[in-house]
Amino acid sequence: MNLPKGTLMCVVGARPNFMKIAPIMAALEGSVPLSLVHTGQHYDTRMQTLFFQQLGIPEPDINLEVGSGSHSWQTAEIMQRFEPVVEAATPAAVLVVGDVNSTIACALVAAKEQIPVIHVEAGLRSFDRSMPEEINRVLTDQLARLLFTTERTARDNLLREGVEEHRIHFVGNVMIDSLLKHRSKAVAPREILLRSKGNVGVDACASGYAVLTLHRPANVDDTPTLRGILSLLQEISERIPVIFPVHPRTAAALERSGLHQALEQISGVFCMPPVGYLEMLGLMNKARLVLTDSGGMQEETTALGIPCITLRDNTERPITVEEGTNTVTGVAPERVLAVLDDILATGGKAGRIPELWDGRASLRIKEVLGDWIR
Ligand code: UD1
């Protein structure tokens, strides 16, 4: 194994990790020896390669190529493949971001090897243990020696769980560092439609559209729930055209349940494969609203000032509701449509930019890390 020794070892695995690691590595470059491990949890070009290119993330030193599987299989497989990497490279610390299976798997290996774990985006809680990510968040934070938070409530959550106060640093949101850096390069929605659908949808969406993303197991893995969401989508599309980049998990669920045909028949919904970072930024930036069950997009829409309807019963990112443009609705049609109608009539919540979501979170991390390493 040809990995540099004694580095600050950064870990990525799945799509939402990439926009977080990019600004951190860029900020630390030159001040700390760095290495990058990609677990390969996401492996499709559209789920990862594009993001490396668009965000300027360095080539990983190693790709563990773990791929897909059940949660326990995937987590265990990442651990088995990451352990020899840590043993060979003896990193000074392992830095993990977010809440995906790669985050907890690599944090656990590092902790067992007595290597300090640094967690970026610590302390977020949905208080819903049926979400795989909530389990990953709680456990990763227990293992971390240094915890960087994006909003003030995260500190209270961590203190309640017994994390020592001196380990917690409120630095702001690294994902917003990426957003602000790349916003001017966002791809125009018309261009995205032309590329993926030819002329289809270009005229329909010209005077306003909504963006939809959907991939939570709770929304897509259960066929009756998914069927209900499709009939909701029919009603939404009668009010506003919907652009829908379809996540691989959702595509698989639609195929498995035979619901893909029902989706194709909704004329106001324009489906496409997952899009890159600059494309999604472009779609969100010009949308009248976003409907999503993603965590990251709740924050990105708040930063962009675009109304967001969160198709979940809870959020681990309460600041997006309290200060931002987000409304958590779940998937009950009457609730979603009431909020949607309000947004279409009034423009929705104005919102304001949360504290320290200013594009400088990675620089604050660099400062704290400098002191910590010394
Ligand atoms: C994962 C994260 C989730 C995050 C999401 C963003 C966990 C527990 N979940 O969910 O928090 O919001 O990524 O996308 O870590 N697949 C492909 N190609 C890929 C990746 C996945 O086809 O490159 C398909 C496979 O059928 C796979 C399924 O998508 O089984 C789910 O992938 P997985 O990585 O298990 O979880 P996500 O649903 O993507």
Side-chain angles (χ1 to χ4, degrees):
M1 207 170 301
N2 222 357
L3 268 168
K5 286 187 184 284
T7 60
L8 173 65
M9 183 176 275
C10 301
V11 174
V12 290
R15 188 171 61 178
N17 295 157
F18 303 131
M19 46 294 245
K20 294 170 194 164
I21 214 71
I24 298 171
M25 290 189 78
L28 295 177
E29 182 63 48
S31 66
V32 191
L34 295 172
S35 59
L36 178 62
V37 174
H38 184 358
T39 66
Q41 177 175 343
H42 284 174
Y43 43 88
D44 285 356
T45 305
R46 289 190 169 104
M47 297 299 284
Q48 48 112 21
T49 322
L50 252 181
F51 288 76
F52 274 79
Q53 290 164 357
Q54 294 185 340
L55 292 159
I57 303 169
E59 190 70 22
D61 293 278
I62 188 164
N63 188 326
L64 305 180
E65 295 181 346
V66 67
S68 301
S70 71
H71 283 274
S72 295
W73 180 89
Q74 188 176 59
T75 308
E77 194 65 23
I78 296 169
M79 289 181 69
Q80 292 198 48
R81 296 183 190 199
F82 188 54
E83 184 179 51
V85 172
V86 170
E87 282 173 352
T90 55
V94 168
L95 183 147
V96 294
V97 297
D99 56 15
V100 301
N101 286 343
S102 301
T103 309
I104 177 60
C106 294
L108 189 49
V109 169
K112 296 261 184 194
E113 295 284 331
Q114 309 286 309
I115 307 287
V117 174
I118 301 167
H119 187 204
V120 177
E121 202 188 85
L124 296 180
R125 294 292 178 268
S126 66
F127 305 101
D128 175 1
R129 294 269 174 118
S130 70
M131 281 181 81
E133 293 80 5
E134 183 73 355
I135 297 167
N136 296 344
R137 289 180 201 116
V138 170
L139 298 181
T140 303
D141 287 338
Q142 284 298 319
L143 299 172
R145 296 249 199 109
L146 200 54
L147 301 95
F148 292 108
T149 62
T150 54
E151 56 178 271
R152 286 196 183 272
T153 53
R155 172 185 295 266
D156 304 331
N157 295 334
L158 292 169
L159 293 177
R160 207 179 320 107
E161 292 169 13
V163 176
E164 295 164 295
E165 181 149 27
H166 69 91
R167 302 192 185 283
I168 307 168
H169 299 269
F170 172 42
V171 290
N173 195 325
V174 290
M175 204 175 53
I176 305 307
D177 293 7
S178 278
L179 181 143
L180 296 176
K181 180 172 175 193
H182 294 283
R183 189 175 184 176
S184 62
K185 286 177 270 174
V187 182
R190 182 186 152 79
E191 180 65 30
I192 299 163
L193 281 165
L194 281 172
R195 270 192 225 157
S196 75
K197 307 195 75 72
N199 270 326
V200 178
V202 171
D203 288 342
C205 295
S207 54
Y209 63 88
V211 179
L212 169 70
T213 79
L214 210 58
H215 74 280
R216 291 283 154 212
N219 280 338
V220 306
D221 287 358
D222 174 56
T223 301
T225 307
L226 189 55
R227 188 176 295 116
I229 292 176
L230 292 195
S231 66
L232 170 63
L233 196 46
Q234 168 77 50
E235 296 201 54
I236 294 171
S237 69
E238 285 161 14
R239 292 159 160 86
I240 182 164
V242 179
I243 299 179
F244 181 17
V246 184
H247 186 279
R249 173 187 280 279
T250 311
L254 286 163
E255 198 65 42
R256 207 171 43 239
S257 59
L259 287 170
H260 58 287
Q261 282 156 341
L263 176 59
E264 279 158 24
Q265 278 158 15
I266 310 178
S267 60
V269 176
F270 302 98
C271 296
M272 57 183 68
V275 296
Y277 181 70
L278 298 177
E279 286 78 8
M280 189 49 101
L281 215 48
L283 285 179
M284 287 191 286
N285 198 24
K286 298 282 184 219
R288 284 185 69 191
L289 72 144
V290 169
L291 298 126
T292 189
D293 59 11
S294 147
M297 285 172 65
Q298 296 172 49
E299 296 184 337
E300 289 166 335
T301 45
T302 277
L304 293 168
I306 303 294
C308 179
I309 293 180
T310 294
L311 301 169
R312 289 172 38 191
D313 294 330
N314 51 51
T315 180
E316 62 286 341
R317 300 160 206 268
I319 202 152
T320 61
V321 176
E322 286 150 20
E323 296 186 13
T325 56
N326 189 18
T327 308
V328 177
T329 61
V331 294
E334 55 287 3
R335 170 87 175 117
V336 176
L337 294 173
V339 177
L340 175 79
D341 287 340
D342 178 62
I343 291 171
L344 294 179
T346 69
K349 291 162 79 170
R352 61 171 188 269
I353 305 295
E355 189 181 2
L356 303 188
W357 291 22
D358 58 356
R360 301 178 59 80
S362 311
L363 295 174
R364 293 187 194 98
I365 289 177
K366 178 182 173 182
E367 266 175 43
V368 175
L369 272 179
D371 292 344
W372 190 67
I373 289 165
R374 268 192 291 282

